[in-house]
Amino acid sequence: MYTMGYDIQVGDFRLGMLDKVEIHRSVELLADTAVITLPASEYNKALEVESMIKRGDRVSVKIGYTETGLREEFSGYLQRIGTDNGSITLECEDDLFKFRVPVPDEVLKNVSLDTLLKKVVDGVGGGHEIDCDYTWSYEKFVIHTATGYDVLKKVQEECGADIYLQGNVLHIHPPATKMGEEVYYDFSLNVESCDLTYRRAEDRKVRVVVKAILPDGKVKEYEVGATGGDRVEIRSASSDDASMKQRGETEVKRLSFDGYDGTITTWMIPYCEPGYVAELRDPDYDYKDGRYYVRAVTTEFSRDGGKRTIELGIRLS
């Protein structure tokens, strides 16, 4: 039997009591988030909490088993103190919180993505390196009353990239190309429950319509995928055929493959985070064994125990 443990600090204040904490991390969402719920019996007045902590305070969440050591599973900033429904919650966001500041208005012409990202980093105060796999240029990019976060969100929507912070490095990569460690799951050993559907590529055919806005305001379309498949529309940051084709084929690969679709729920061990590779073994159905890119992980920790809900992405093999 393992002993649950935690060490959570907000600013200069270390929590002595905890009801629960939920951490959500995803390569498809810009920011990781954590919601810390405080027990009403200990912190029964919002004023008492607000006198000790405030928005923008640094947050560190270490959780796990005391026998195996605590791991820092979230690091970021306090975004909001909530007092809804009689409970007190601390809503936190990772270091992308620092990107929620206005960047200078500017109309950029023939600007490379790398140059645009550097402008965003400089506009929010600098201090971050950039690791980007894309090399396209925008014929025109308008920044108007926007934060650095808004600009990154627009880039993500137009290219479908995995965009996230890791330490002081801003990562921008095509889906499932930047992979971390491998974790092993056996449905008969270390999977508590699952909500999975095994699908075959032939049963989920898609026709992806890639759209790009031309300088004159007209919309260019490029279609890839199976004829007669479910129609999916996405945007492309670049209007050349090669870039639009690559964007479409990446989306087809993400949506159509032989393998599981859904989530598995596990315990705190083994550790897992988005970008990891989950190797699944099903002793009853060997053909369902496979390696999957981990798209998102939601970690819940409370007095009742800890668990992770792992959302599977593209099947790798």
Side-chain angles (χ1 to χ4, degrees):
M1 178 68 71
Y2 287 114
T3 306
M4 306 294 293
Y6 67 88
D7 181 4
I8 301 177
Q9 186 158 345
V10 183
D12 295 326
F13 178 64
R14 177 170 274 105
L15 298 186
M17 297 286 288
L18 176 69
D19 189 5
K20 63 179 179 179
V21 58
E22 180 174 313
I23 301 168
H24 183 65
R25 306 179 66 185
S26 171
V27 294
E28 296 182 350
L29 299 176
L30 289 181
D32 297 338
T33 59
V35 178
I36 303 167
T37 303
L38 307 180
S41 59
E42 178 75 10
Y43 306 104
N44 56 0
K45 293 182 180 179
L47 182 61
E48 293 179 359
V49 174
E50 292 173 338
S51 66
M52 296 180 284
I53 58 178
K54 63 183 184 303
R55 173 183 166 85
D57 277 349
R58 188 74 185 172
V59 177
S60 172
V61 178
K62 297 178 181 178
I63 53 178
Y65 303 118
T66 56
E67 291 82 0
T68 59
L70 305 185
R71 176 192 288 266
E72 184 175 57
E73 300 217 10
F74 178 85
S75 176
Y77 295 87
L78 178 60
Q79 187 178 33
R80 177 178 178 269
I81 301 174
T83 56
D84 305 321
N85 301 319
S87 63
I88 299 173
T89 57
L90 309 181
E91 299 175 16
C92 312
E93 189 173 71
D94 73 3
D95 281 8
L96 271 169
F97 176 82
K98 296 188 291 186
F99 282 70
R100 291 185 181 276
V101 296
V103 293
D105 289 351
E106 193 171 359
V107 178
L108 304 169
K109 294 184 178 180
N110 297 317
V111 61
S112 68
L113 177 60
D114 187 59
T115 299
L116 174 63
L117 294 172
K118 288 178 180 177
K119 284 183 174 292
V120 171
V121 168
D122 292 342
V124 300
H128 291 85
E129 299 178 7
I130 298 170
D131 183 359
C132 179
D133 291 339
Y134 295 97
T135 58
W136 77 74
S137 295
Y138 288 94
E139 295 177 349
K140 183 179 181 180
F141 195 100
V142 179
I143 302 177
H144 179 64
T145 61
T147 65
Y149 188 99
D150 294 332
V151 176
L152 293 180
K153 187 66 176 176
K154 182 178 180 181
V155 170
Q156 185 181 52
E157 290 172 349
E158 292 182 339
C159 70
D162 292 347
I163 300 181
Y164 56 93
L165 276 177
Q166 195 171 63
N168 70 332
V169 180
L170 177 64
H171 290 267
I172 303 94
H173 308 290
T177 57
K178 193 80 169 183
M179 289 178 255
E181 299 179 20
E182 292 201 14
V183 287
Y184 178 82
Y185 296 107
D186 186 315
F187 286 95
S188 64
L189 296 176
N190 60 350
V191 175
E192 181 182 24
S193 62
C194 64
D195 183 10
L196 295 171
T197 301
Y198 190 85
R199 304 181 188 276
R200 299 188 181 278
E202 61 189 31
D203 298 327
R204 47 180 175 185
K205 296 178 180 179
V206 294
R207 185 69 173 174
V208 176
V209 181
V210 185
K211 295 185 175 182
I213 300 177
L214 301 175
D216 60 5
K218 294 181 180 179
V219 178
K220 177 181 176 180
E221 295 187 0
Y222 192 102
E223 297 189 15
V224 296
T227 302
D230 293 338
R231 184 182 174 91
V232 177
E233 294 186 358
I234 59 175
R235 289 193 288 172
S236 173
S238 183
S239 60
D240 65 278
D241 287 351
S243 296
M244 296 181 73
K245 180 182 178 181
Q246 181 186 35
R247 175 79 171 96
E249 289 177 343
T250 298
E251 191 68 11
V252 170
K253 179 181 178 183
R254 188 179 72 84
L255 296 174
S256 183
F257 57 89
D258 290 342
Y260 283 118
D261 183 28
T263 63
I264 60 173
T265 299
T266 72
W267 293 280
M268 299 293 289
I269 298 176
Y271 173 76
C272 185
E273 65 182 50
Y276 273 27
V277 176
E279 181 178 349
L280 303 188
R281 182 179 183 278
D282 191 330
D284 296 322
Y285 303 95
D286 291 345
Y287 73 93
K288 294 184 179 181
D289 293 353
R291 297 168 66 252
Y292 294 81
Y293 183 73
V294 176
R295 178 184 301 164
V297 177
T298 299
T299 301
E300 299 177 60
F301 182 92
S302 70
R303 67 190 70 181
D304 297 322
K307 63 179 181 179
R308 302 188 198 278
T309 301
I310 297 168
E311 184 179 346
L312 303 179
I314 295 173
R315 182 174 181 173
L316 303 172
S317 62

